Amino acid sequence: MPKKHHQKPAKQVKIAKNRIKFLFQHAKETFKEDSKLADRYVKTARRIAMRYKIRLPSSLKKRFCKHCHKYFVPGANCRIRIHKHRIIYYCFGCKHHMRHPIK
Ligand SMILES: [Zn+2]
């Protein structure tokens, strides 16, 4: 079956978006108990986003490391600093920085 030009139905995309939101919520709730499970939720959410070609909103993109995809909890596995109108996230897991402009 040719997969080129195949578009996902809008309804499915909507369901996928809801699922992504749900997974991030779960990640937040589960982090204290099981941070590895939280990471797995992020991984699943990213996979859904890729499959449906959904761009994650910036509010969600800030919630995990873009290098190692760990779910971020400030103080627990990342550090947040504000520098020159940017939020800088430092990931304890992979020692990389992420910068986001402040709106
Ligand atoms: Zn990282």
Side-chain angles (χ1 to χ4, degrees):
M1 268 230 319
K3 278 201 167 171
K4 230 177 169 187
H5 306 302
H6 179 71
Q7 274 244 298
K8 304 277 182 195
K11 199 181 160 193
Q12 270 187 40
V13 171
K14 204 180 161 191
I15 292 168
K17 278 183 182 170
N18 276 333
R19 206 178 291 161
I20 289 167
K21 234 161 62 183
F22 196 65
L23 283 161
F24 271 95
Q25 234 166 55
H26 268 317
K28 190 183 176 183
E29 283 159 16
T30 202
F31 182 83
K32 250 192 260 172
E33 320 257 308
D34 190 346
S35 68
K36 281 211 171 74
L37 187 60
D39 295 343
R40 224 155 52 213
Y41 285 143
V42 169
K43 202 176 160 188
T44 307
R46 288 184 63 248
R47 212 166 47 212
I48 294 168
M50 266 189 268
R51 190 185 307 155
Y52 289 91
K53 297 185 172 67
I54 295 166
R55 281 186 64 178
L56 291 176
S58 63
S59 61
L60 291 184
K61 272 191 192 157
K62 286 176 195 157
R63 295 190 27 203
F64 65 89
C65 175
K66 77 169 179 187
H67 305 283
C68 69
H69 311 132
K70 269 187 192 307
Y71 184 74
F72 269 170
V73 176
N77 62 0
C78 76
R79 191 176 60 211
I80 295 178
R81 271 194 3 207
I82 293 170
H83 182 67
K84 288 181 183 168
H85 307 291
R86 275 165 195 201
I87 312 177
I88 300 161
Y89 291 76
Y90 175 70
C91 174
F92 294 167
C94 67
K95 322 268 186 225
H96 276 90
H97 289 88
M98 254 178 26
R99 287 168 189 86
H100 290 287
I102 299 171
K103 276 174 201 156

